[in-house]
Amino acid sequence: MDERADAIFLEATRVLDLCRERGLTVATAESCTGGLVAGALTDIAGSSDVLDRGFVTYSNAAKMDVLGVSAATLRAHGAVSAETAREMVAGLLAAAGTSLGVSITGIAGPGGGSAEKPVGLVHFAAMRADGRMIERREVFAGQDRFGVRRLSVLTALAMLAELAA
């Protein structure tokens, strides 16, 4: 498939174009996607005028150390939760000082799921520097690890585009 027809490439291009038009910058805080959102943006030449930085905070320690997620939040709600996603993006914007940020935390599988938090569960939070936040909770059921991560990247990019528009 031609890369220009790829959905991720198209969505990343849309984010970059919207941000350039409005003079916005972006940072990412990724767990289950392991940097794929930042990677999608940097696949496009010239993205350095929009993407400032990306953090891969896979462990709880990284979430706390880099993004300021509280140990109490992780104990009470777990790493894969709306509460953690919100704290991740707030900490991201505080650390990066960008116009926009997005956080992703989930269970890509194939293991690690439970009845309460199944494989494919992903929490997202995207935020503007002015405090406007949007959140998503998705369960990408029936997907393998690649599918969960791919759909998570698309969701995160769509959320950034929504905030940039």
Side-chain angles (χ1 to χ4, degrees), residues 34-130:
L36 292 173
V37 176
L41 293 167
T42 60
D43 277 346
I44 300 164
S47 58
S48 61
D49 60 345
V50 172
L51 182 68
D52 179 74
R53 67 189 76 187
F55 297 116
V56 176
T57 54
Y58 210 66
S59 69
N60 285 352
K63 288 174 181 66
M64 291 185 292
D65 295 347
V66 176
L67 302 173
V69 174
S70 76
T73 296
L74 292 167
R75 272 193 309 276
H77 304 285
V80 180
S81 65
E83 293 82 2
T84 296
R86 281 194 294 270
E87 287 189 26
M88 286 173 68
V89 77
L92 172 67
L93 287 180
T98 54
S99 312
L100 305 174
V102 66
S103 68
I104 305 130
T105 184
I107 304 168
S114 67
E116 182 182 297
K117 294 184 180 184
V119 169
L121 172 65
V122 184
H123 287 276
F124 305 85
M127 189 170 165
R128 290 182 64 105
D130 66 9

